Amino acid sequence: MSSFVGVLVSDQWLQSQFTQVELRSLKSKFMAVRNQNGKVTVGDLPALMVKLKAFSDMFKEEEIRGILGESGADMNDEVDFEAFLRAYLNLQGRGTEKLGGTKHSSSFLKATTTTLLHTIIESEKASYVAHINSYLGDDPFLKQYLPLDPSTNDLFDLVKDGVLLCKLINVAVPGTIDERAINTKRVLNPWERNENHTLCLNSAKAIGCTVVNIGTQDLIEGRPHLLLGLISQIIKIQLLADLNLKKTPQLVELVDDGNDVEELMGLAPEKVLLKWMNFHLKKAGYKKPITNFSSDLKDGEAYAYLLNVLAPEHCSPATLDAKDPTHRAKLVLDHAERMDCKRYLSPKDIVEGSPNLNLAFVAQIFHQRSGLSADCKNISFAEMMTDDVQISREERCFRLWINSLGIVTYVNNLFEDVRNGWILLEVLDKVSPGSVKWKLASKPPIKMPFRKVENCNQVIGIGKQLKFSLVNVAGEDIVHGNKKLILAFLWQLMRYNMLQLLKNLRFHSQGKKEMTDADILKWANNKVKCTGRTSQMESFKDKNLSNGIFFLDLLSAVEPRVVNWNLVTKGESEEEKKLNATYIISVARKLGCSIFLLPEDIMEVNQKMILTLTASIMYWSLQQPVEELETSSSPADAATTASTTSTTSDASPSASVNGEDESSLSGEISNLIIDDAASDTTVSSQVENEAPDTTTTVSSHIVNDDTPIGD
């Protein structure tokens, strides 16, 4: 494995203000300017800054020039990289003021983790620590470190080995990580620690977290603002897991007819939670609708009405009679405690309108007592809305893949959210930059039906340009929510992206025009054969793949240390196949593959998912310098090469998943990333040593690594 070399800044405070992904991205932009004229001057910075995503919508070039000129600097003065970073932070501060100060700080109601403001809210940290203590206190490995003290920085120290975050992901979505793949020694070497963080980031994406601008180095360094952002997303996913009709069909009581049910299915979980809250508040006689988890809850009245209708046996008239909001908030929390609701917030948090903590509190109330009836008629109607297993699995897979690409819109329900065409246009623009004619597109909310059809017609038109199979398919089919057609289109889109990423690895595809499925199949078989192992794959639907042995051989071939063969079964029974399949997925993620398939996809040999898994492993492998030796003359030579590589990289973390970047294959952000995560955060690999003076693009959204979709 190649070793990770971060971008180092002599001023430690300055370095602490940026993630490694940000530093690599900014350095590549800075170097690109220098490459053009031999140096970078103050006068070069305005044009550079205005192109950066962080400032593109905030400042015009002349505004930036004026801000830089306030310091009295001559526009012809040369600036180094650190001076550029200081100018960047200055502009960032101005941008924050322009947006209205700290009220725009990151919240886990957002889908992304942002580093615009490095603010740590102590009450939120304390709540997350309490959550971790509660759910992981009995864990065999972690109990020696828990409970954590929320008043200290013990949380940030404990997460540095990656075990806590992996365990927390499994609490949020049980079974996501095969815990046999987690390195749990008391003292981990850098490679083992990096593996844990790589596994964590790829697994976080696989449950729906967006981890833009977070890399393994950031987790190793224990950066508080990034860690809290990631932890908050994981906890949010856990708390909102049941807020959908599949998990809680009783939610159908919130609507009156079939059209409303479809609308409910398309709502984000937090919106469903608000709808549930307003449903009960209306019954309780509360007149004002609740539209957010902040200002609308500050006076505590809505909480008082909600708890009185859900748990009247604990009701106290004093709660509504209280004049002081803080006192009322205290009475509300006392009421909730009598209902056995976990206490995620303090009276002060309610009065100050903490959106994260209020959401967590309302979610706990919902879990403890939803107040919904088990109406057989309604429930049977809700069950009619559910999909068959295969469609449901593919919906999940493509939804997670799209969210990992880092597009602006977050997908909550694939079939409902794509019907206006906008999200599909965003994905197409990410996968095939420049293909979308945005002037002809209509942005949601779209009231006129024909505008939705226009968007979807453009989607189909671009698909045909990319040579997708779309015979007799029109935009109206997407608008009408044809599930099979939508899944077929997305599969072709993902496959196209995957093959393009592989094709564009310049050190692999020199002179090769196209990459095909057959190339991937041949590569995988040759890779395994070169190690002296006998397993082979006849095709991507070869039923012999169900026992998982071939993929374990393949993973071991690309990185001998990553598979612990003592944990591998023969794969003869269904139980043994399941054990191998879950282990394969975690090992692939641990290596650096961002995949979204489920164990069942391997056990049932789902052709699409098998292809993406293989391509993901191939994509990761092709980033490694030793790939050139793949054609060794003998298995023994290949084994020797692998062994040597393994030894030389022992002391250094893997670079396969060091950070996530937002740039696309076309090269928005350059010489740093091999994104394994199509966005979500792309896992990044340091390739600065390979890049010529000009910016080099190694793909940033690995839809392949990411794309291998699966889990």
Side-chain angles (χ1 to χ4, degrees):
M1 284 186 175
S2 56
S3 61
F4 167 72
V5 180
V7 177
L8 300 179
V9 178
S10 61
D11 184 333
Q12 290 188 353
W13 176 86
L14 188 59
Q15 174 137 4
S16 71
Q17 302 305 299
F18 300 90
T19 68
Q20 276 297 317
V21 170
E22 291 170 325
L23 283 172
R24 292 195 298 274
S25 172
L26 290 172
K27 187 170 185 179
S28 71
K29 302 281 191 184
F30 181 81
M31 297 299 287
V33 174
R34 191 188 70 177
N35 289 337
Q36 293 168 12
N37 54 25
K39 64 179 182 177
V40 179
T41 66
V42 176
D44 293 324
L45 295 184
L48 171 59
M49 294 289 195
V50 80
K51 293 177 182 177
L52 298 176
K53 194 171 183 179
F55 308 127
S56 59
D57 296 328
M58 274 186 207
F59 300 104
K60 294 181 179 177
E61 189 171 330
E62 286 308 310
E63 288 182 90
I64 296 175
R65 190 176 298 278
I67 292 171
L68 295 175
E70 291 174 3
S71 63
D74 189 307
M75 289 293 147
N76 293 318
D77 288 347
E78 185 173 356
V79 294
D80 60 14
F81 181 56
E82 292 192 18
F84 165 62
L85 292 179
R86 291 189 177 91
Y88 182 95
L89 289 176
N90 180 31
L91 274 181
Q92 194 178 67
R94 296 293 186 95
T96 300
E97 293 172 8
K98 202 169 183 179
L99 290 174
T102 57
K103 69 180 181 179
H104 287 274
S105 62
S106 62
S107 154
F108 80 51
L109 294 180
K110 296 181 181 180
T112 60
T113 300
T114 161
T115 58
L116 178 62
L117 296 172
H118 297 176
T119 354
I120 300 299
I121 301 176
E122 289 298 325
S123 58
E124 290 190 13
K125 184 183 81 170
S127 294
Y128 303 153
V129 167
H131 184 94
I132 289 167
N133 287 338
S134 173
Y135 283 93
L136 291 172
D138 295 329
D139 182 85
F141 178 79
L142 292 174
K143 65 182 179 184
Q144 59 188 314
Y145 306 106
L146 301 179
L148 296 170
D149 183 349
S151 65
T152 68
N153 286 326
D154 289 350
L155 171 63
F156 306 126
D157 292 331
L158 184 55
V159 299
K160 289 181 180 179
D161 66 4
V163 177
L164 175 64
L165 292 175
C166 288
K167 299 269 190 180
L168 190 61
I169 286 171
N170 267 357
V171 168
V173 183
T176 299
I177 296 175
D178 186 334
E179 296 201 1
R180 297 175 299 169
I182 305 173
N183 299 317
T184 54
K185 296 190 306 186
R186 284 187 66 88
V187 179
L188 301 176
N189 64 41
W191 187 75
E192 292 168 328
R193 183 181 56 190
N194 191 75
E195 275 192 328
N196 281 350
H197 290 306
T198 301
L199 175 59
C200 165
L201 289 178
N202 285 322
S203 299
K205 285 181 289 185
I207 65 171
C209 293
T210 306
V211 286
V212 176
N213 284 341
I214 303 181
T216 57
Q217 189 65 20
D218 300 309
L219 301 184
I220 289 168
E221 293 173 5
R223 292 176 178 270
H225 61 288
L226 292 176
L227 286 168
L228 289 184
L230 178 57
I231 289 171
S232 68
Q233 288 190 78
I234 296 170
I235 292 176
K236 174 189 170 185
I237 286 170
Q238 177 188 345
L239 295 176
L240 301 181
D242 293 338
L243 281 154
N244 59 72
L245 285 174
K246 289 183 182 178
K247 293 283 187 70
T248 311
Q250 294 90 341
L251 284 169
V252 77
E253 189 179 347
L254 304 182
V255 299
D256 297 323
D257 57 43
N259 291 332
D260 290 336
V261 170
E262 288 187 4
E263 180 185 345
L264 182 65
M265 291 176 67
L267 290 178
E270 50 266 41
K271 297 294 185 185
V272 176
L273 193 60
L274 283 174
K275 193 174 184 71
W276 168 82
M277 192 175 187
N278 283 314
F279 173 77
H280 285 300
L281 289 176
K282 185 177 179 181
K283 288 199 299 186
Y286 189 71
K287 304 297 183 185
K288 189 169 58 175
I290 302 300
T291 60
N292 58 64
F293 292 103
S294 182
S295 57
D296 288 355
L297 299 175
K298 283 184 176 181
D299 59 12
E301 285 190 9
Y303 277 136
Y305 275 92
L306 178 66
L307 294 179
N308 284 349
V309 74
L310 291 176
E313 69 275 19
H314 300 304
C315 174
S316 170
T319 306
L320 286 172
D321 294 339
K323 303 299 181 186
D324 177 50
T326 302
H327 179 56
R328 182 185 295 119
K330 181 182 182 305
L331 294 175
V332 163
L333 292 178
D334 290 341
H335 189 165
E337 205 164 288
R338 291 193 290 272
M339 293 169 56
D340 294 327
C341 284
K342 287 186 173 64
R343 201 160 182 165
Y344 275 91
L345 72 180
S346 66
K348 181 182 177 183
D349 297 320
I350 293 178
V351 173
E352 291 183 351
S354 169
N356 292 353
L357 300 183
N358 275 312
L359 179 142
F361 182 51
V362 176
Q364 277 295 332
I365 295 172
F366 172 84
H367 285 293
Q368 192 62 30
R369 193 171 298 193
S370 71
L372 299 174
S373 66
D375 186 300
C376 295
K377 178 182 177 182
N378 282 346
I379 291 177
S380 63
F381 179 63
E383 288 173 344
M384 288 167 56
M385 304 294 295
T386 62
D387 305 309
D388 65 54
V389 174
Q390 188 60 43
I391 288 180
S392 179
R393 224 188 272 162
E394 291 195 13
E395 185 275 338
R396 170 191 173 279
C397 166
F398 294 128
R399 170 169 43 85
L400 292 171
W401 171 65
I402 290 172
N403 286 333
S404 78
L405 291 172
I407 65 173
V408 176
T409 311
Y410 191 85
V411 180
N412 291 292
N413 181 293
L414 181 71
F415 298 126
E416 292 301 314
D417 292 353
V418 303
R419 288 174 61 180
N420 60 25
W422 183 261
I423 286 175
L424 293 176
L425 289 173
E426 287 189 86
V427 175
L428 282 164
D429 191 54
K430 184 70 72 172
V431 169
S432 179
S435 61
V436 177
K437 297 178 181 177
W438 290 110
K439 290 183 179 180
L440 303 179
S442 299
K443 186 175 182 178
I446 304 174
K447 295 182 179 179
M448 304 300 291
F450 76 91
R451 295 292 184 193
K452 298 179 183 180
V453 175
E454 286 178 346
N455 280 355
C456 293
N457 281 339
Q458 186 176 175
V459 167
I460 298 299
I462 297 171
K464 289 179 178 177
Q465 290 172 19
L466 298 179
K467 301 188 176 171
F468 293 177
S469 175
L470 296 169
V471 179
N472 296 326
V473 175
E476 287 188 353
D477 295 311
I478 297 176
V479 176
H480 293 154
N482 185 317
K483 293 180 181 179
K484 290 187 177 180
L485 183 149
I486 291 170
L487 291 178
F489 182 86
L490 285 171
W491 162 243
Q492 292 183 82
L493 184 56
M494 178 188 296
R495 180 177 171 278
Y496 169 83
N497 191 192
M498 174 176 64
L499 295 177
Q500 288 298 110
L501 288 172
L502 288 170
K503 171 189 167 185
N504 279 278
L505 289 176
R506 63 184 183 285
F507 48 87
H508 167 72
S509 58
Q510 294 175 349
K512 186 173 181 64
K513 293 183 179 180
E514 297 297 334
M515 174 70 65
T516 66
D517 296 1
D519 293 324
I520 299 171
L521 180 70
K522 182 179 178 181
W523 173 86
N525 281 326
N526 286 343
K527 198 72 179 172
V528 172
K529 185 178 180 180
C530 283
T531 65
R533 297 184 180 273
T534 59
S535 61
Q536 290 283 282
M537 173 168 53
E538 295 297 328
S539 69
F540 294 114
K541 52 186 177 181
D542 184 347
K543 293 302 180 183
N544 292 323
L545 298 174
S546 65
N547 63 17
I549 300 299
F550 176 80
F551 289 110
L552 290 165
D553 283 343
L554 180 59
L555 288 164
S556 182
V558 299
E559 174 45 66
R561 297 170 300 182
V562 80
V563 175
N564 180 349
W565 288 99
N566 293 326
L567 302 176
V568 177
T569 74
K570 293 181 180 179
E572 294 175 346
S573 66
E574 288 301 302
E575 183 180 352
E576 288 185 344
K577 289 179 180 179
K578 181 79 176 280
L579 285 170
N580 282 354
T582 55
Y583 187 57
I584 288 166
I585 291 169
S586 289
V587 167
R589 289 181 182 145
K590 179 178 178 177
L591 184 66
C593 303
S594 182
I595 52 178
F596 306 101
L597 72 166
L598 293 171
E600 290 77 9
D601 292 314
I602 297 175
M603 296 169 65
E604 297 171 9
V605 193
N606 181 318
Q607 184 178 358
K608 296 175 185 176
M609 299 303 111
I610 294 295
L611 171 59
T612 54
L613 172 60
T614 311
S616 176
I617 298 170
M618 180 181 181
Y619 189 90
W620 180 87
S621 178
L622 294 180
Q623 312 305 314
Q624 312 310 307
V626 296
E627 180 61 24
E628 297 168 356
L629 302 178
E630 166 180 279
T631 56
S632 297
S633 57
S634 71
D637 290 338
T640 302
T641 300
S643 174
T644 303
T645 306
S646 165
T647 304
T648 57
S649 62
D650 242 16
S652 61
S654 159
S656 62
V657 183
N658 276 330
E660 308 260 356
D661 177 34
E662 296 179 274
S663 70
S664 74
L665 181 63
S666 64
E668 272 182 318
I669 302 191
S670 65
N671 59 314
L672 25 198
I673 299 182
I674 72 177
D675 174 316
D676 170 21
S679 105
D680 244 295
T681 195
T682 96
V683 219
S684 107
S685 169
Q686 180 70 9
V687 290
E688 286 182 327
N689 293 336
E690 282 203 323
D693 284 339
T694 56
T695 308
T696 118
T697 310
V698 168
S699 113
S700 169
H701 289 145
I702 179 171
V703 163
N704 261 9
D705 255 2
D706 257 356
T707 279
I709 286 200
D711 167 291

